[in-house]
Amino acid sequence: MYCDLAFFYKDDNFVKAYGNVKMNQGDSVSMRSQYAEYNGNTKFAFASGKVWLKKDTTTVTTDSMYFDRIKQQAYYRTGGTVTSPNSTITSRIGRYFMEQDKISFVSDVVVTNPEYVINSEQLNFYSV
């Protein structure tokens, strides 16, 4: 984790990070935001403020995101955009299952591709 300012609560194994927050998991997952909290005991992160999550060729942008490192799932509930090499997908709610490279979208889903546009209330997208 990198940031401009951090407060580490040693007894709770908890950190609050402010400004230009960068969190990496291995080589393939990186998340950027303006604010983040991370609980080292539960391995759960919360990020807000221009959140950007990238895994391989898929990028998720949103206002706030939750990331469960144990389940390897990230999700948003306040609207988000997912971009991949061929499509852009927007929805109100999205959950990224990283091990399966699957994203489930719910509510006001719009897929925009150079060849078509899809409107739906629910969609499962596999980045492969």
Side-chain angles (χ1 to χ4, degrees), residues 2-101:
Y2 307 90
C3 63
D4 293 339
L5 175 67
F7 294 98
F8 178 58
Y9 302 91
K10 184 177 180 179
D11 293 341
D12 297 323
N13 196 17
F14 187 84
V15 66
K16 290 184 178 184
Y18 299 87
N20 299 307
V21 181
K22 300 174 187 173
M23 292 189 278
N24 296 326
Q25 177 181 276
D27 304 2
S28 63
V29 179
S30 59
M31 185 163 65
R32 308 287 185 260
S33 65
Q34 291 304 307
Y35 172 78
E37 297 177 355
Y38 182 72
N39 186 318
N41 296 328
T42 62
K43 301 198 182 321
F44 193 86
F46 168 75
S48 64
K50 299 179 183 176
V51 181
W52 174 90
L53 177 98
K54 182 170 175 65
K55 181 177 186 289
D56 303 323
T57 60
T58 302
T59 303
V60 182
T61 55
T62 184
D63 288 338
S64 60
M65 181 173 288
Y66 304 85
F67 184 16
D68 185 331
R69 290 189 57 224
I70 293 172
K71 292 182 180 179
Q72 286 298 290
Q73 294 178 15
Y75 58 94
Y76 60 85
R77 297 185 233 166
T78 57
T81 301
V82 174
T83 54
S84 67
N86 299 323
S87 299
T88 299
I89 305 170
T90 60
S91 69
R92 191 169 61 79
I93 299 168
R95 182 175 295 267
Y96 193 168
F97 300 88
M98 295 192 187
E99 291 177 346
Q100 295 90 5
D101 271 337

Side-chain angles (χ1 to χ4, degrees), residues 100-111:
Q100 295 90 5
D101 271 337
K102 170 187 167 184
I103 306 173
S104 291
F105 299 96
V106 178
S107 188
D108 302 324
V109 182
V110 179
V111 179

